[in-house]
Amino acid sequence: MQSWGLTDPGCVRKQNQDSYRIEQLDRGNLLCIVCDGMGGAKSGNIASSLAVDVFVEEVRRCWKPVMEQEKVDQMLRSAVKLANFTVYDQSRQFEEFDGMGTTLVAVMVRGRKATVVNVGDSRAYHITQNAIQRITRDHSVVEDLVAKGDLTPEQARRHPQKNLITRALGTSRKVKADLFQETVAEGDWLLLCSDGLINEVTDQEIHQEVLAGGTPQEICQRLVIRTLDSGAPDNVTVVLFHL
């Protein structure tokens, strides 16, 4: 197994409010997470880094290699709940953090099983030689419009409200996370990213870069460069895992 992560502030913003982590829990068990903070220059980066730290620490505290899938699901939901409350609590205690929040997408890989959890519009993809499949569903205004048939996916990428999310970590006392199960095979790829990537690079272009070959590090670098070449108005983060 190989994995790599890369983040960049992009071409417009001075501060990077994305955070990510790759944690090897033990042999054959990997945890990856990406968070995209919001709330202004003073707090977006705090929200994302705090959420990453709390989520990973809670998983590490609860993790046991012999856990059944049901327990894994409960652990991930619990970690999201704790991360949400921690960010929310900080935003309530300190005026400079008022209104901060973050997206969260994470995957736990155990052998051939991948469990994905998400809140917001950061994404997870399952990539094979033949196809790229988005695992998560964005919690966003434009995603709801796509689901209703009012927008096409391409129109959603260029919509003026594309950055308006309907669910985020830390903006309220409670949050609902979505959970997904994927079966992966040797040679497959799992990709996590913030919306800074997918707003500038299409799913098909992501698939092309992965199939072009190279290590996870080289592919992450090409994806970020491709985003920067498109103007990169937002921070961009990519985490790539190869089985």
Side-chain angles (χ1 to χ4, degrees):
M1 296 188 295
Q2 296 177 302
S3 59
W4 194 263
L6 188 62
T7 188
D8 191 281
C11 299
V12 175
R13 299 189 178 183
K14 295 181 179 180
Q15 186 184 61
N16 193 342
Q17 298 187 355
D18 289 358
S19 299
Y20 77 91
R21 185 85 59 82
I22 300 170
E23 285 282 314
Q24 188 77 47
L25 298 174
D26 48 47
R27 185 175 181 181
N29 297 293
L30 190 75
L31 179 70
C32 304
I33 179 173
V34 169
C35 289
D36 180 356
M38 61 186 190
K42 293 183 179 179
S43 56
N45 61 318
I46 301 297
S48 64
S49 61
L50 186 59
V52 167
D53 289 345
V54 173
F55 182 89
V56 172
E57 287 172 10
E58 179 65 6
V59 170
R60 276 209 166 276
R61 185 185 70 82
C62 299
W63 167 250
K64 295 179 177 63
V66 295
M67 292 177 80
E68 297 292 334
Q69 185 61 50
E70 182 180 357
K71 293 294 184 181
V72 172
D73 295 351
Q74 291 174 359
M75 176 184 65
L76 295 177
R77 290 188 187 278
S78 176
V80 169
K81 181 179 179 181
L82 183 59
N84 177 75
F85 179 79
T86 304
V87 175
Y88 177 75
D89 185 57
Q90 289 291 301
S91 72
R92 300 277 289 183
Q93 286 194 48
F94 302 99
E95 184 177 350
E96 63 267 32
F97 296 158
D98 183 43
M100 74 176 179
T102 182
T103 69
L104 181 150
V105 62
V107 60
M108 171 168 281
V109 182
R110 302 189 304 146
R112 295 295 177 253
K113 293 182 179 179
T115 306
V116 175
V117 61
N118 87 294
V119 177
D121 63 353
S122 293
R123 292 182 179 179
Y125 288 89
H126 181 189
I127 302 171
T128 67
Q129 286 292 322
N130 298 322
I132 177 170
Q133 175 187 353
R134 177 157 46 120
I135 301 170
T136 52
R137 181 184 183 277
D138 296 348
H139 303 131
S140 68
V141 170
V142 294
E143 186 82 346
D144 291 343
L145 292 173
V146 170
K148 292 177 183 177
D150 295 335
L151 289 178
T152 66
E154 182 56 33
Q155 288 172 330
R157 293 182 68 245
R158 303 303 174 191
H159 197 277
Q161 292 183 313
K162 65 183 179 182
N163 293 323
L164 293 182
I165 58 176
T166 56
R167 206 183 298 180
L169 218 68
T171 56
S172 60
R173 188 176 293 274
K174 294 183 179 180
V175 70
K176 181 181 178 182
D178 291 344
L179 207 67
F180 305 88
Q181 308 291 344
E182 283 285 307
T183 300
V184 292
E186 185 175 353
D188 288 0
W189 300 81
L190 292 169
L191 181 143
L192 305 183
C193 65
S194 62
D195 68 339
L197 175 71
I198 52 91
N199 284 338
E200 303 303 316
V201 183
T202 67
D203 291 3
Q204 291 71 29
E205 289 169 339
I206 294 172
H207 195 215
Q208 289 170 5
E209 291 294 354
V210 172
L211 293 188
T215 65
Q217 178 180 1
E218 292 167 340
I219 297 170
C220 285
Q221 290 171 337
R222 293 202 306 268
L223 287 170
V224 169
I225 290 171
R226 193 160 190 164
T227 307
L228 296 175
D229 288 345
S230 297
D234 198 359
N235 309 147
V236 55
T237 300
V238 183
V239 171
L240 193 60
F241 173 73
H242 187 214
L243 282 85

